């Protein structure tokens, strides 16, 4: 048994990051382990978790398991969890209730929990004490071990827990079963060393580790060969890409290399304002296949709160960066993340945030109420603001954000834009996204799926656009 340890997870050393670059293999005996069995995966949290689930699916299929999206049909049920806020926890534990019923009816079902919550001491403690029926818990550093963890669990009938709390390595060649044939997630780095005072991610995902550029380029080249239209480069802080590599390469260099593979669309997320340099802005504006879309988390507009959050930029620096981006990247779409009710946030601090929203005119924003995370410094900070007040601030902020989202969308009316058609929409038409990441419902035939087409925008809502192919 390997239990998580937040103190260990917090440590950062100067030790070299191990690169595991051999072929990924499983023993012959394990290849039959899932024969005749179905797996069901439910994924919470960010794109990184979504992509981890794509890896897990491929590993399970190497073991002859088959995927099902019907919970009731599954022999192996896996929840890939997120720890970012309390409500992510609540959702997972809520769903676990349903799984428990199924397990009572059919005890042979194997149940497992992985992802960021598995890295938390208190969660694993609760799983060991109150959820003994959960068969397997494995951490974010243990995904490639899954076949062996499953084998041990099936042989032993006791709760199997394998969670490493370490800086982590870079593991290449983990197989992947992608959810889409047109859009692909590509990890460029793992972990985070920023330690923003409210955030659990540096504890759940380990030290910042960049993949070598040659491996990333090779992955994108393979995707181009397979006909993929879009890649999204993933990392908690993509702008800090390469800082930890032995042979220097920065995000500007990497973006340029990927642009030259001629993949039609390149996106990247998430950008931290602190590492966004001019070279990177120049590269984005130089290549047509790097999308004019930047997600640039603000968190707060108050310098005092930004300092308490450990964000390493001021309101003025943030605004300077935004005006540079807008000046150099025509028709840039800008989105953000904002936290309200950080400990000690006053009405004046909150108004600084509203001020930034008014200046930046975001295309959209994800807004959250601060959620204390065990083990992080902000969880221990004094917080006098009532939840009621925080809710009021959130509502006020959302109203302002929606006003600009609507205003930005209105600018599209009558315009012709490029849309990558991804599939049928809920309304029976087609749906896809513009270069600027606007959701468009399109009138058209199914043979357009997977293609980038010119669409005229015929009507506009706050969260989506309607259009017809021209
Ligand atoms: N790496 C990204 C953020 C990843 S987490 C970045 O640095 O921008 C996604 C968002 O969740 C964050 O941008 C933040 O707005 C929010 N978030 C993180 N921790 C939170 C907490 N403890 N309470 C509320 N929101 C939080
Ligand atoms: Fe969390 Fe900050 Fe790292 Fe983003 S940069 S993942 S908010 S610690
Ligand atoms: Fe959640 Fe972990 Fe992503 S905490 S947001 S799944 S890195």
């Amino acid at each position: 048994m390997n239990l998580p340890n937040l103190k260990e997870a917090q440590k950062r050393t100067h030790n070299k990051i191990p690169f595991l670059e051999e072929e990924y293999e499983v023993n012959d005996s394990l290849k039959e382990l899932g024969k005749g069995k179905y797996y069901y995966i439910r994924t919470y949290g960010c794109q990184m978790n979504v992509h981890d689930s794509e890896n897990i699916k491929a590993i399970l299929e190497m073991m002859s398991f088959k995927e099902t999206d019907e919970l009731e049909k599954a022999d192996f049920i896996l929840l890939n969890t997120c720890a970012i806020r309390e409500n992510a926890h609540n959702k997972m534990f809520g769903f676990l209730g349903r799984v428990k019923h199924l397990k009572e009816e059919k005890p042979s079902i194997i149940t497992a929990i992985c992802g960021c919550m598995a890295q938390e001491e208190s969660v694993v403690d609760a799983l060991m004490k109150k959820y003994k029926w959960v068969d397997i818990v494995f951490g974010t550093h243990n995904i490639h071990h899954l076949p062996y963890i499953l084998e041990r669990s099936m042989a032993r009938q006791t709760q199997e827990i394998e969670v490493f709390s370490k800086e982590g390595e870079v593991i290449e060649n983990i197989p992947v079963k992608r959810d889409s044939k047109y859009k692909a997630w590509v990890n460029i780095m793992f972990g985070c060393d920023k330690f923003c005072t409210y955030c659990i991610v540096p504890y759940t995902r380990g030290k910042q580790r960049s993949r070598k550029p040659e491996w990333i380029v090779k992955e994108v080249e393979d995707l181009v060969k397979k006909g993929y239209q879009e890649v999204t480069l993933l990392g908690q802080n993509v702008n800090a890409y390469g800082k930890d590599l032995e042979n220097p390469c920065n995000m500007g260099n990497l973006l340029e290399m990927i642009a030259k593979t001629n993949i039609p669309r390149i996106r990247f997320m998430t950008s931290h304002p602190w590492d966004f340099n001019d070279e990177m802005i120049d590269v984005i504006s130089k290549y047509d296949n790097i999308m004019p879309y930047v997600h640039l988390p603000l968190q707060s507009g108050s310098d005092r709160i930004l300092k308490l959050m450990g964000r390493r930029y001021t309101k003025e620096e943030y605004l300077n960066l935004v005006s540079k981006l807008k000046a150099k990247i025509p028709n840039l779409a800008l989105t953000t993340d904002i936290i309200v009710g950080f400990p000690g946030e006053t009405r004046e601090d909150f108004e600084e945030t509203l001020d930034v929203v008014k200046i930046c005119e975001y295309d959209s924003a994800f807004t959250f109420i601060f959620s204390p995370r065990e083990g992080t410094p902000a969880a221990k900070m004094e917080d006098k603001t009532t939840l009621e007040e925080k809710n009021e601030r959130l509502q006020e902020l959302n109203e302002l954000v929606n006003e600009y989202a609507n205003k930005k969308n209105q600018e599209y009316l009558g315009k012709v834009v490029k849309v990558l058609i991804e599939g049928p929409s809920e309304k029976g038409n087609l749906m896809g996204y513009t270069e600027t990441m606007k959701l468009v419902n399109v009138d058209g035939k199914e043979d357009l799926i997977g293609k980038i087409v010119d669409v005229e925008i015929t009507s506009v809502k706050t969260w989506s656009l309607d259009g017809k192919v021209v």
Side-chain angles (χ1 to χ4, degrees), residues 84-85 198-199 236-237 270-272 297 299 311 337-339 368-371 373:
I84 202 83
R85 283 171 293 275
Y198 51 83
C199 185
Q236 289 300 345
N237 265 304
T270 301
S271 290
H272 189 298
Q299 313 302 3
R311 286 293 285 183
D337 292 344
I338 297 170
I339 299 176
F368 312 103
I369 289 182
F370 167 72
S371 171
R373 308 318 299 133

Side-chain angles (χ1 to χ4, degrees), residues 182 420-424 430-431 445-451:
Y182 319 111
L420 168 55
I421 306 289
E422 288 180 21
L430 302 173
M431 57 73 68
K445 295 211 187 73
E446 293 220 340
D447 59 355
L448 295 177
I449 294 174
K451 300 201 171 100

Side-chain angles (χ1 to χ4, degrees), residues 29-35 37 63 65 147 150-151 154:
S29 64
L30 295 176
K31 284 186 184 148
E32 303 282 303
L33 206 66
K35 206 158 196 172
K37 293 192 167 72
M63 302 170 72
F65 282 94
L150 252 169
E151 183 186 38
M154 285 160 99

